[in-house]
Amino acid sequence: MPEEKKNNYIVSVLVPYPVDKAYSYISPEKVGLGQYVVVPLGGREVTGVVWAVDVSVEDKLLKKLKAVSHIYSDLPSMPDGHIRFLEKLSAYTMNPLGSVLKMSLSAPRAFDPPAPITGYKLANTDSLNPKQRQVAAVMKEGVAYRAATITRRAHCSASVIKTMAKHGFLKEVIMESDPPCVDPDFNHKDIELNEAQKKAASILLEKTGFAVTLLDGVTGSGKTEVYFEAVTQALKLNKQVLILLPEIALSNAFLERFEQRYGCQPALWHSELTPAQRRETWRAVAKGQSKVVIGARSALFLPYTDLGLIVVDEEHDPSYKQEEGVIYNARDMAVLRGALDKLPIILVSATPSLETIHNVKLGRYEEVKLPARFGGALLPKVHLIDMKEEREDAQHFISNTLKEAMDYTLERGEQVLLFLNRRGYAPLTLCRHCGHRYECDRCSAWLVEHKSRHNLQCHHCGYTVKKPTNCPECNEADSLTACGPGVERIFDEVKELFPDHTALILSSDTAENQADLKTILAKIQSKKVDIIIGTQIIAKGHHFPKLTCVGVIDADLGLAGGDLRASERTWQLLNQVSGRAGRAEDPGHVYLQTFYPDNLVMQALLSDKRDAFLEIELEAREQAFMPPFSRLVGLVVSGVKEQEVMHFAQELAKVAPQTDQVKVLGPAPAPFLRLRNRYRYRLLVIADKNIDIQKTIRHWLGQVKLPTKLKLTVDVDPMSFL
Ligand code: ADP
Ligand code: ZN
């Protein structure tokens, strides 16, 4: 039908694949910018987003255009602000635009037709009996609820609802689903802030347009309560709010707290959701129904319709950096989003990152302080244990001083946390006879013994072998020796030293999912266990009232390796771990076992020399022309054959920009030369912050052709240099 052809619209559609631009399609119907559509692509049907309309193409190409096969007209379009955000993020991080879009379409079932659910609305409230009045009390006029929600809130049985429906008190309606956090009640709980909190909150509440505020306060100072005030303000304006948390901190404790304050669960977004939950939340956010989303970094990519505030809790946390696939830093991208949409951004931490502190100094961010714990609770007292003097032998890791402190704590019926950020039994296993070290076949890394599983594991690729009885090199029997401690080994030592006390390990091996974690945390909370041996999983946000003693087995652990942020990270992590001690009425004690008691980090932790420490760190970074005074970009070339990788990395270096404002170092073999069977070489760009480094790099990379067998990863603002 040739007449109809004239009515066709030409649009370009971005697809969620590693492509840099949108492709043109013909659409029989008018479609708008941002609409979700299905298009044919290489023999498949894929969901994409209309990225441009009224596109002009040459006549000869017109004939070749394929047609949009479906338009999701029941979903609102992706908002303009979100589209601009994805474009800017792609440009800044140098990830292909299509890959960035994919992050926003990470709920594949969101596009399936809705499964109908029967819900109820309040219809008539005359002459209710008491039970029925209870039901009416939990329902808002005009809002549809699922039967399960009503029975839970009103503590009634399903038959009450049936009867009410029969008598016309409730009206049956077809609901698409029960979107989360539609109607948070900001009057649910009144909270009385103390003077410092009030002052902090009032500054946060002043911010309406784009402004970044650092809420900087010691653990337990009530930072959450304070930023909830800003959340409330945004809710009063009927805006959506995003609260970002490190994945691990998305524990029930936080959610319960939210529910106590707002009378409903927040919408959740993290890696453990079921496809059905992802669908529900994604759609409810896209439709503007869900008001508060609490999520891990990827929650930044939900298609908010009317965002009014972003909070980044624990802003210094390295897990905000996504290191695989699309490499980006969620904290920085939250600020980008704020700048684009003119939103206030609140960064929250007890130990802010140097980047953020630098931005405060430059006047770009405002700082709001909460100097003391809420309710007069004292900060824990820190003690340094000099292991040069106290270390007894290579097989034991708990010093006498720490043991005595543990004795004292346990006698009083309180809990002890021993912190060691190392999973497994021992980080290295070797043969006592020939010195053979167990290394992964596929990575340049040692295998870690896991006693509980009777195997050796690679923590990088997941490779495991059963622990052999004979050395595979010299065949000597029973010659394998563990070197250094992991949490399992500390557990054995604890059992030996405190046979009458209960102990457990909390690591990603014992708490593999949120449910396990919840069980273990509940055990600790209800004091079913006396001694907890934990990795960094324990450090975040948990509140254990009976925990009054923290022992850090190896406070020096994070200082090794010479990473740019080694000192900063150690200070942050140990501060956070220390914050677990004595959060309630009992003051806490923290014991740091170190071989370097004079180290600046240990001294900063010991007495509150935080500001001096940060000054010295900043000065060292400035001297070395390192971030936050310069910008780094890491490039990693990887491939199966080392020769090819090295060769290409050298070719890259030959045409590298070298100016007054840009230096390129390398190539050098990566510290983990091999990972998952691939060899890796690194180059590092150090650039003046005032230049458009992305443009420089694009130009540079445009001069070489990447062999198909190799992969080149670009990491803007790298956190990891492995
Ligand atoms: P932070 O996030 O700074 O570690 P929290 O917000 O978790 O601190 O507060 C620590 C504890 O003190 C929590 O149990 C919290 O409920 C309580 N708290 C803080 N401020 C108040 C307040 N104004 N009124 C009542 N309880 C408060
Ligand atoms: Zn491996």
PDB file of all heavy atoms in Angstrom, residues 189-194 197 217-227 257 260 313-314 348 350 370 373-375 541 543 580 583, ligand 1:
ATOM      1  N   LYS A 189       6.419   8.949  62.083  1.00  0.00           N
ATOM      2  CA  LYS A 189       7.115   8.977  63.362  1.00  0.00           C
ATOM      3  C   LYS A 189       7.777  10.328  63.526  1.00  0.00           C
ATOM      4  O   LYS A 189       8.495  10.781  62.645  1.00  0.00           O
ATOM      5  CB  LYS A 189       8.163   7.872  63.387  1.00  0.00           C
ATOM      6  CG  LYS A 189       8.915   7.770  64.685  1.00  0.00           C
ATOM      7  CD  LYS A 189       9.934   6.653  64.594  1.00  0.00           C
ATOM      8  CE  LYS A 189      10.921   6.711  65.738  1.00  0.00           C
ATOM      9  NZ  LYS A 189      12.067   5.839  65.463  1.00  0.00           N
ATOM     10  N   ASP A 190       7.517  10.943  64.646  1.00  0.00           N
ATOM     11  CA  ASP A 190       8.151  12.220  64.908  1.00  0.00           C
ATOM     12  C   ASP A 190       9.466  11.965  65.600  1.00  0.00           C
ATOM     13  O   ASP A 190       9.556  11.148  66.502  1.00  0.00           O
ATOM     14  CB  ASP A 190       7.253  13.064  65.822  1.00  0.00           C
ATOM     15  CG  ASP A 190       6.818  14.323  65.103  1.00  0.00           C
ATOM     16  OD1 ASP A 190       7.381  14.592  64.025  1.00  0.00           O
ATOM     17  OD2 ASP A 190       5.921  15.013  65.613  1.00  0.00           O
ATOM     18  N   ILE A 191      10.461  12.659  65.155  1.00  0.00           N
ATOM     19  CA  ILE A 191      11.751  12.449  65.800  1.00  0.00           C
ATOM     20  C   ILE A 191      12.282  13.791  66.262  1.00  0.00           C
ATOM     21  O   ILE A 191      12.171  14.794  65.567  1.00  0.00           O
ATOM     22  CB  ILE A 191      12.709  11.711  64.855  1.00  0.00           C
ATOM     23  CG1 ILE A 191      13.946  11.250  65.586  1.00  0.00           C
ATOM     24  CG2 ILE A 191      13.068  12.514  63.644  1.00  0.00           C
ATOM     25  CD1 ILE A 191      14.264   9.816  65.253  1.00  0.00           C
ATOM     26  N   GLU A 192      12.775  13.800  67.480  1.00  0.00           N
ATOM     27  CA  GLU A 192      13.290  15.039  68.069  1.00  0.00           C
ATOM     28  C   GLU A 192      14.796  15.074  67.838  1.00  0.00           C
ATOM     29  O   GLU A 192      15.530  14.263  68.383  1.00  0.00           O
ATOM     30  CB  GLU A 192      12.959  15.022  69.573  1.00  0.00           C
ATOM     31  CG  GLU A 192      13.367  16.244  70.344  1.00  0.00           C
ATOM     32  CD  GLU A 192      12.434  17.428  70.099  1.00  0.00           C
ATOM     33  OE1 GLU A 192      11.231  17.189  69.837  1.00  0.00           O
ATOM     34  OE2 GLU A 192      12.923  18.558  70.167  1.00  0.00           O
ATOM     35  N   LEU A 193      15.238  16.002  67.026  1.00  0.00           N
ATOM     36  CA  LEU A 193      16.675  16.093  66.771  1.00  0.00           C
ATOM     37  C   LEU A 193      17.348  16.885  67.877  1.00  0.00           C
ATOM     38  O   LEU A 193      16.743  17.778  68.458  1.00  0.00           O
ATOM     39  CB  LEU A 193      16.929  16.774  65.426  1.00  0.00           C
ATOM     40  CG  LEU A 193      16.371  16.096  64.174  1.00  0.00           C
ATOM     41  CD1 LEU A 193      16.737  16.903  62.939  1.00  0.00           C
ATOM     42  CD2 LEU A 193      16.874  14.669  64.028  1.00  0.00           C
ATOM     43  N   ASN A 194      18.608  16.541  68.151  1.00  0.00           N
ATOM     44  CA  ASN A 194      19.341  17.361  69.105  1.00  0.00           C
ATOM     45  C   ASN A 194      19.867  18.618  68.393  1.00  0.00           C
ATOM     46  O   ASN A 194      19.708  18.758  67.179  1.00  0.00           O
ATOM     47  CB  ASN A 194      20.448  16.563  69.815  1.00  0.00           C
ATOM     48  CG  ASN A 194      21.546  16.114  68.855  1.00  0.00           C
ATOM     49  OD1 ASN A 194      21.788  16.746  67.827  1.00  0.00           O
ATOM     50  ND2 ASN A 194      22.194  15.020  69.197  1.00  0.00           N
ATOM     51  N   GLN A 197      22.155  18.155  65.393  1.00  0.00           N
ATOM     52  CA  GLN A 197      21.409  17.539  64.296  1.00  0.00           C
ATOM     53  C   GLN A 197      20.467  18.536  63.637  1.00  0.00           C
ATOM     54  O   GLN A 197      20.336  18.572  62.419  1.00  0.00           O
ATOM     55  CB  GLN A 197      20.613  16.334  64.827  1.00  0.00           C
ATOM     56  CG  GLN A 197      21.496  15.157  65.250  1.00  0.00           C
ATOM     57  CD  GLN A 197      20.688  14.027  65.868  1.00  0.00           C
ATOM     58  OE1 GLN A 197      19.595  14.258  66.408  1.00  0.00           O
ATOM     59  NE2 GLN A 197      21.207  12.809  65.811  1.00  0.00           N
ATOM     60  N   GLY A 217      29.962  13.005  59.937  1.00  0.00           N
ATOM     61  CA  GLY A 217      29.776  12.849  61.377  1.00  0.00           C
ATOM     62  C   GLY A 217      30.233  11.481  61.829  1.00  0.00           C
ATOM     63  O   GLY A 217      30.137  10.515  61.074  1.00  0.00           O
ATOM     64  N   VAL A 218      30.696  11.410  63.059  1.00  0.00           N
ATOM     65  CA  VAL A 218      31.201  10.146  63.589  1.00  0.00           C
ATOM     66  C   VAL A 218      30.095   9.088  63.576  1.00  0.00           C
ATOM     67  O   VAL A 218      28.907   9.422  63.552  1.00  0.00           O
ATOM     68  CB  VAL A 218      31.733  10.324  65.036  1.00  0.00           C
ATOM     69  CG1 VAL A 218      32.924  11.251  65.032  1.00  0.00           C
ATOM     70  CG2 VAL A 218      30.644  10.848  65.970  1.00  0.00           C
ATOM     71  N   THR A 219      30.496   7.814  63.594  1.00  0.00           N
ATOM     72  CA  THR A 219      29.497   6.742  63.611  1.00  0.00           C
ATOM     73  C   THR A 219      28.615   6.896  64.834  1.00  0.00           C
ATOM     74  O   THR A 219      29.104   7.135  65.930  1.00  0.00           O
ATOM     75  CB  THR A 219      30.147   5.339  63.663  1.00  0.00           C
ATOM     76  OG1 THR A 219      31.368   5.434  64.381  1.00  0.00           O
ATOM     77  CG2 THR A 219      30.392   4.772  62.299  1.00  0.00           C
ATOM     78  N   GLY A 220      27.321   6.788  64.613  1.00  0.00           N
ATOM     79  CA  GLY A 220      26.394   6.895  65.726  1.00  0.00           C
ATOM     80  C   GLY A 220      25.962   8.316  66.034  1.00  0.00           C
ATOM     81  O   GLY A 220      25.269   8.557  67.011  1.00  0.00           O
ATOM     82  N   SER A 221      26.351   9.264  65.187  1.00  0.00           N
ATOM     83  CA  SER A 221      25.981  10.655  65.463  1.00  0.00           C
ATOM     84  C   SER A 221      24.572  10.970  64.973  1.00  0.00           C
ATOM     85  O   SER A 221      24.044  12.039  65.263  1.00  0.00           O
ATOM     86  CB  SER A 221      26.993  11.614  64.824  1.00  0.00           C
ATOM     87  OG  SER A 221      27.086  11.377  63.444  1.00  0.00           O
ATOM     88  N   GLY A 222      23.993  10.041  64.235  1.00  0.00           N
ATOM     89  CA  GLY A 222      22.625  10.258  63.772  1.00  0.00           C
ATOM     90  C   GLY A 222      22.554  10.824  62.366  1.00  0.00           C
ATOM     91  O   GLY A 222      21.601  11.524  62.022  1.00  0.00           O
ATOM     92  N   LYS A 223      23.526  10.492  61.555  1.00  0.00           N
ATOM     93  CA  LYS A 223      23.535  11.002  60.177  1.00  0.00           C
ATOM     94  C   LYS A 223      22.285  10.567  59.417  1.00  0.00           C
ATOM     95  O   LYS A 223      21.697  11.340  58.667  1.00  0.00           O
ATOM     96  CB  LYS A 223      24.794  10.512  59.445  1.00  0.00           C
ATOM     97  CG  LYS A 223      26.088  11.048  60.053  1.00  0.00           C
ATOM     98  CD  LYS A 223      27.304  10.694  59.215  1.00  0.00           C
ATOM     99  CE  LYS A 223      27.673   9.223  59.235  1.00  0.00           C
ATOM    100  NZ  LYS A 223      28.038   8.706  60.563  1.00  0.00           N
ATOM    101  N   THR A 224      21.884   9.304  59.648  1.00  0.00           N
ATOM    102  CA  THR A 224      20.712   8.792  58.940  1.00  0.00           C
ATOM    103  C   THR A 224      19.471   9.593  59.306  1.00  0.00           C
ATOM    104  O   THR A 224      18.706  10.007  58.438  1.00  0.00           O
ATOM    105  CB  THR A 224      20.503   7.307  59.289  1.00  0.00           C
ATOM    106  OG1 THR A 224      21.771   6.655  59.265  1.00  0.00           O
ATOM    107  CG2 THR A 224      19.574   6.642  58.309  1.00  0.00           C
ATOM    108  N   GLU A 225      19.305   9.814  60.610  1.00  0.00           N
ATOM    109  CA  GLU A 225      18.136  10.580  61.052  1.00  0.00           C
ATOM    110  C   GLU A 225      18.146  11.969  60.425  1.00  0.00           C
ATOM    111  O   GLU A 225      17.109  12.508  60.057  1.00  0.00           O
ATOM    112  CB  GLU A 225      18.117  10.712  62.584  1.00  0.00           C
ATOM    113  CG  GLU A 225      18.120   9.395  63.365  1.00  0.00           C
ATOM    114  CD  GLU A 225      16.901   8.521  63.089  1.00  0.00           C
ATOM    115  OE1 GLU A 225      15.910   9.036  62.536  1.00  0.00           O
ATOM    116  OE2 GLU A 225      16.954   7.316  63.425  1.00  0.00           O
ATOM    117  N   VAL A 226      19.320  12.539  60.307  1.00  0.00           N
ATOM    118  CA  VAL A 226      19.418  13.894  59.761  1.00  0.00           C
ATOM    119  C   VAL A 226      19.087  13.903  58.269  1.00  0.00           C
ATOM    120  O   VAL A 226      18.315  14.730  57.797  1.00  0.00           O
ATOM    121  CB  VAL A 226      20.804  14.505  60.048  1.00  0.00           C
ATOM    122  CG1 VAL A 226      21.000  15.786  59.256  1.00  0.00           C
ATOM    123  CG2 VAL A 226      20.949  14.772  61.543  1.00  0.00           C
ATOM    124  N   TYR A 227      19.641  12.960  57.512  1.00  0.00           N
ATOM    125  CA  TYR A 227      19.319  13.041  56.082  1.00  0.00           C
ATOM    126  C   TYR A 227      17.892  12.583  55.792  1.00  0.00           C
ATOM    127  O   TYR A 227      17.331  12.943  54.768  1.00  0.00           O
ATOM    128  CB  TYR A 227      20.383  12.398  55.190  1.00  0.00           C
ATOM    129  CG  TYR A 227      20.514  10.902  55.128  1.00  0.00           C
ATOM    130  CD1 TYR A 227      19.506  10.094  54.592  1.00  0.00           C
ATOM    131  CD2 TYR A 227      21.693  10.272  55.520  1.00  0.00           C
ATOM    132  CE1 TYR A 227      19.661   8.728  54.496  1.00  0.00           C
ATOM    133  CE2 TYR A 227      21.851   8.898  55.430  1.00  0.00           C
ATOM    134  CZ  TYR A 227      20.836   8.125  54.917  1.00  0.00           C
ATOM    135  OH  TYR A 227      20.989   6.775  54.819  1.00  0.00           O
ATOM    136  N   ARG A 257      14.508   0.334  59.769  1.00  0.00           N
ATOM    137  CA  ARG A 257      14.569   1.709  60.227  1.00  0.00           C
ATOM    138  C   ARG A 257      13.763   2.622  59.316  1.00  0.00           C
ATOM    139  O   ARG A 257      13.063   3.523  59.767  1.00  0.00           O
ATOM    140  CB  ARG A 257      16.022   2.125  60.196  1.00  0.00           C
ATOM    141  CG  ARG A 257      16.299   3.031  61.305  1.00  0.00           C
ATOM    142  CD  ARG A 257      17.729   3.063  61.539  1.00  0.00           C
ATOM    143  NE  ARG A 257      18.030   4.434  61.859  1.00  0.00           N
ATOM    144  CZ  ARG A 257      19.241   4.896  61.994  1.00  0.00           C
ATOM    145  NH1 ARG A 257      20.246   4.080  61.815  1.00  0.00           N
ATOM    146  NH2 ARG A 257      19.434   6.142  62.300  1.00  0.00           N
ATOM    147  N   GLN A 260      10.148   2.015  60.058  1.00  0.00           N
ATOM    148  CA  GLN A 260       9.724   2.672  61.303  1.00  0.00           C
ATOM    149  C   GLN A 260       9.458   4.159  61.084  1.00  0.00           C
ATOM    150  O   GLN A 260       8.547   4.719  61.659  1.00  0.00           O
ATOM    151  CB  GLN A 260      10.818   2.532  62.364  1.00  0.00           C
ATOM    152  CG  GLN A 260      10.763   1.210  63.103  1.00  0.00           C
ATOM    153  CD  GLN A 260      12.053   0.963  63.859  1.00  0.00           C
ATOM    154  OE1 GLN A 260      12.802   1.890  64.158  1.00  0.00           O
ATOM    155  NE2 GLN A 260      12.322  -0.298  64.163  1.00  0.00           N
ATOM    156  N   ASP A 313      25.097   7.282  50.872  1.00  0.00           N
ATOM    157  CA  ASP A 313      25.539   6.958  52.232  1.00  0.00           C
ATOM    158  C   ASP A 313      26.864   6.199  52.138  1.00  0.00           C
ATOM    159  O   ASP A 313      27.057   5.421  51.211  1.00  0.00           O
ATOM    160  CB  ASP A 313      24.472   6.117  52.944  1.00  0.00           C
ATOM    161  CG  ASP A 313      24.572   6.236  54.460  1.00  0.00           C
ATOM    162  OD1 ASP A 313      25.623   6.706  54.945  1.00  0.00           O
ATOM    163  OD2 ASP A 313      23.612   5.862  55.154  1.00  0.00           O
ATOM    164  N   GLU A 314      27.747   6.401  53.100  1.00  0.00           N
ATOM    165  CA  GLU A 314      29.098   5.823  53.060  1.00  0.00           C
ATOM    166  C   GLU A 314      29.774   6.202  51.746  1.00  0.00           C
ATOM    167  O   GLU A 314      30.263   5.342  51.012  1.00  0.00           O
ATOM    168  CB  GLU A 314      29.050   4.296  53.199  1.00  0.00           C
ATOM    169  CG  GLU A 314      28.195   3.752  54.317  1.00  0.00           C
ATOM    170  CD  GLU A 314      28.834   3.882  55.700  1.00  0.00           C
ATOM    171  OE1 GLU A 314      29.901   4.519  55.815  1.00  0.00           O
ATOM    172  OE2 GLU A 314      28.249   3.368  56.658  1.00  0.00           O
ATOM    173  N   VAL A 348      27.346  11.191  52.485  1.00  0.00           N
ATOM    174  CA  VAL A 348      27.346  10.914  53.917  1.00  0.00           C
ATOM    175  C   VAL A 348      28.529  10.020  54.276  1.00  0.00           C
ATOM    176  O   VAL A 348      28.767   9.018  53.596  1.00  0.00           O
ATOM    177  CB  VAL A 348      26.040  10.182  54.310  1.00  0.00           C
ATOM    178  CG1 VAL A 348      25.979   9.976  55.816  1.00  0.00           C
ATOM    179  CG2 VAL A 348      24.818  10.946  53.825  1.00  0.00           C
ATOM    180  N   ALA A 350      31.486   8.981  57.797  1.00  0.00           N
ATOM    181  CA  ALA A 350      32.242   9.312  58.996  1.00  0.00           C
ATOM    182  C   ALA A 350      33.708   9.522  58.615  1.00  0.00           C
ATOM    183  O   ALA A 350      34.481  10.092  59.378  1.00  0.00           O
ATOM    184  CB  ALA A 350      32.129   8.182  60.015  1.00  0.00           C
ATOM    185  N   LEU A 370      28.604  16.581  62.258  1.00  0.00           N
ATOM    186  CA  LEU A 370      27.989  16.084  63.484  1.00  0.00           C
ATOM    187  C   LEU A 370      29.118  15.520  64.331  1.00  0.00           C
ATOM    188  O   LEU A 370      29.561  14.392  64.125  1.00  0.00           O
ATOM    189  CB  LEU A 370      26.971  14.980  63.174  1.00  0.00           C
ATOM    190  CG  LEU A 370      25.663  15.404  62.508  1.00  0.00           C
ATOM    191  CD1 LEU A 370      24.822  14.177  62.188  1.00  0.00           C
ATOM    192  CD2 LEU A 370      24.885  16.339  63.410  1.00  0.00           C
ATOM    193  N   ARG A 373      28.572  11.477  69.143  1.00  0.00           N
ATOM    194  CA  ARG A 373      27.572  10.409  69.075  1.00  0.00           C
ATOM    195  C   ARG A 373      26.272  10.882  69.702  1.00  0.00           C
ATOM    196  O   ARG A 373      26.270  11.686  70.638  1.00  0.00           O
ATOM    197  CB  ARG A 373      28.081   9.164  69.800  1.00  0.00           C
ATOM    198  CG  ARG A 373      29.037   8.371  68.939  1.00  0.00           C
ATOM    199  CD  ARG A 373      29.376   7.038  69.565  1.00  0.00           C
ATOM    200  NE  ARG A 373      29.961   6.157  68.543  1.00  0.00           N
ATOM    201  CZ  ARG A 373      30.295   4.900  68.767  1.00  0.00           C
ATOM    202  NH1 ARG A 373      30.105   4.357  69.952  1.00  0.00           N
ATOM    203  NH2 ARG A 373      30.806   4.174  67.801  1.00  0.00           N
ATOM    204  N   PHE A 374      25.173  10.335  69.208  1.00  0.00           N
ATOM    205  CA  PHE A 374      23.865  10.719  69.729  1.00  0.00           C
ATOM    206  C   PHE A 374      23.679  10.173  71.142  1.00  0.00           C
ATOM    207  O   PHE A 374      24.098   9.055  71.452  1.00  0.00           O
ATOM    208  CB  PHE A 374      22.748  10.199  68.818  1.00  0.00           C
ATOM    209  CG  PHE A 374      21.383  10.488  69.357  1.00  0.00           C
ATOM    210  CD1 PHE A 374      20.858  11.778  69.298  1.00  0.00           C
ATOM    211  CD2 PHE A 374      20.634   9.488  69.967  1.00  0.00           C
ATOM    212  CE1 PHE A 374      19.609  12.062  69.821  1.00  0.00           C
ATOM    213  CE2 PHE A 374      19.384   9.766  70.493  1.00  0.00           C
ATOM    214  CZ  PHE A 374      18.873  11.054  70.414  1.00  0.00           C
ATOM    215  N   GLY A 375      23.031  10.968  71.977  1.00  0.00           N
ATOM    216  CA  GLY A 375      22.648  10.501  73.305  1.00  0.00           C
ATOM    217  C   GLY A 375      23.827  10.354  74.245  1.00  0.00           C
ATOM    218  O   GLY A 375      23.770   9.586  75.196  1.00  0.00           O
ATOM    219  N   GLY A 541      27.567  -0.451  58.899  1.00  0.00           N
ATOM    220  CA  GLY A 541      26.232  -0.109  59.364  1.00  0.00           C
ATOM    221  C   GLY A 541      25.523  -0.984  60.382  1.00  0.00           C
ATOM    222  O   GLY A 541      24.415  -0.679  60.742  1.00  0.00           O
ATOM    223  N   HIS A 543      24.528  -2.603  63.974  1.00  0.00           N
ATOM    224  CA  HIS A 543      24.477  -2.052  65.318  1.00  0.00           C
ATOM    225  C   HIS A 543      24.304  -3.205  66.299  1.00  0.00           C
ATOM    226  O   HIS A 543      23.285  -3.881  66.302  1.00  0.00           O
ATOM    227  CB  HIS A 543      23.282  -1.087  65.399  1.00  0.00           C
ATOM    228  CG  HIS A 543      23.077  -0.506  66.749  1.00  0.00           C
ATOM    229  ND1 HIS A 543      24.047   0.254  67.368  1.00  0.00           N
ATOM    230  CD2 HIS A 543      22.052  -0.576  67.609  1.00  0.00           C
ATOM    231  CE1 HIS A 543      23.597   0.621  68.553  1.00  0.00           C
ATOM    232  NE2 HIS A 543      22.391   0.129  68.726  1.00  0.00           N
ATOM    233  N   ARG A 580      32.035  -0.090  65.380  1.00  0.00           N
ATOM    234  CA  ARG A 580      31.127  -1.158  65.825  1.00  0.00           C
ATOM    235  C   ARG A 580      31.156  -1.292  67.335  1.00  0.00           C
ATOM    236  O   ARG A 580      30.302  -1.949  67.914  1.00  0.00           O
ATOM    237  CB  ARG A 580      31.511  -2.531  65.218  1.00  0.00           C
ATOM    238  CG  ARG A 580      31.435  -2.683  63.716  1.00  0.00           C
ATOM    239  CD  ARG A 580      30.154  -2.186  63.143  1.00  0.00           C
ATOM    240  NE  ARG A 580      30.414  -1.002  62.364  1.00  0.00           N
ATOM    241  CZ  ARG A 580      29.558   0.006  62.218  1.00  0.00           C
ATOM    242  NH1 ARG A 580      28.403   0.009  62.820  1.00  0.00           N
ATOM    243  NH2 ARG A 580      29.877   1.037  61.483  1.00  0.00           N
ATOM    244  N   ARG A 583      28.325   0.994  70.876  1.00  0.00           N
ATOM    245  CA  ARG A 583      27.428   1.987  70.318  1.00  0.00           C
ATOM    246  C   ARG A 583      26.281   2.336  71.260  1.00  0.00           C
ATOM    247  O   ARG A 583      25.648   3.345  71.101  1.00  0.00           O
ATOM    248  CB  ARG A 583      26.899   1.521  68.966  1.00  0.00           C
ATOM    249  CG  ARG A 583      27.979   1.624  67.907  1.00  0.00           C
ATOM    250  CD  ARG A 583      27.543   1.039  66.608  1.00  0.00           C
ATOM    251  NE  ARG A 583      26.286   1.602  66.136  1.00  0.00           N
ATOM    252  CZ  ARG A 583      26.178   2.529  65.196  1.00  0.00           C
ATOM    253  NH1 ARG A 583      27.255   3.013  64.644  1.00  0.00           N
ATOM    254  NH2 ARG A 583      25.005   2.956  64.808  1.00  0.00           N
TER     255      ARG A 583
HETATM  256  P1  ADP B   1      25.078   7.258  61.979  1.00  0.00           P
HETATM  257  O1  ADP B   1      24.341   7.047  60.678  1.00  0.00           O
HETATM  258  O2  ADP B   1      25.716   8.595  62.074  1.00  0.00           O
HETATM  259  O3  ADP B   1      26.009   6.138  62.359  1.00  0.00           O
HETATM  260  P2  ADP B   1      22.521   6.784  63.121  1.00  0.00           P
HETATM  261  O4  ADP B   1      21.666   7.687  62.331  1.00  0.00           O
HETATM  262  O5  ADP B   1      22.547   5.335  62.768  1.00  0.00           O
HETATM  263  O6  ADP B   1      24.001   7.332  63.128  1.00  0.00           O
HETATM  264  O7  ADP B   1      22.166   6.969  64.657  1.00  0.00           O
HETATM  265  C1  ADP B   1      22.729   6.163  65.655  1.00  0.00           C
HETATM  266  C2  ADP B   1      21.654   5.731  66.633  1.00  0.00           C
HETATM  267  O8  ADP B   1      21.149   6.837  67.343  1.00  0.00           O
HETATM  268  C3  ADP B   1      20.472   5.078  65.957  1.00  0.00           C
HETATM  269  O9  ADP B   1      20.005   4.014  66.726  1.00  0.00           O
HETATM  270  C4  ADP B   1      19.459   6.202  65.884  1.00  0.00           C
HETATM  271  O10 ADP B   1      18.136   5.736  65.835  1.00  0.00           O
HETATM  272  C5  ADP B   1      19.759   6.968  67.147  1.00  0.00           C
HETATM  273  N1  ADP B   1      19.441   8.381  66.992  1.00  0.00           N
HETATM  274  C6  ADP B   1      20.176   9.294  66.353  1.00  0.00           C
HETATM  275  N2  ADP B   1      19.613  10.507  66.411  1.00  0.00           N
HETATM  276  C7  ADP B   1      18.471  10.361  67.109  1.00  0.00           C
HETATM  277  C8  ADP B   1      17.430  11.247  67.530  1.00  0.00           C
HETATM  278  N3  ADP B   1      17.464  12.534  67.225  1.00  0.00           N
HETATM  279  N4  ADP B   1      16.430  10.734  68.263  1.00  0.00           N
HETATM  280  C9  ADP B   1      16.395   9.428  68.563  1.00  0.00           C
HETATM  281  N5  ADP B   1      17.337   8.539  68.208  1.00  0.00           N
HETATM  282  C10 ADP B   1      18.365   8.985  67.483  1.00  0.00           C
END
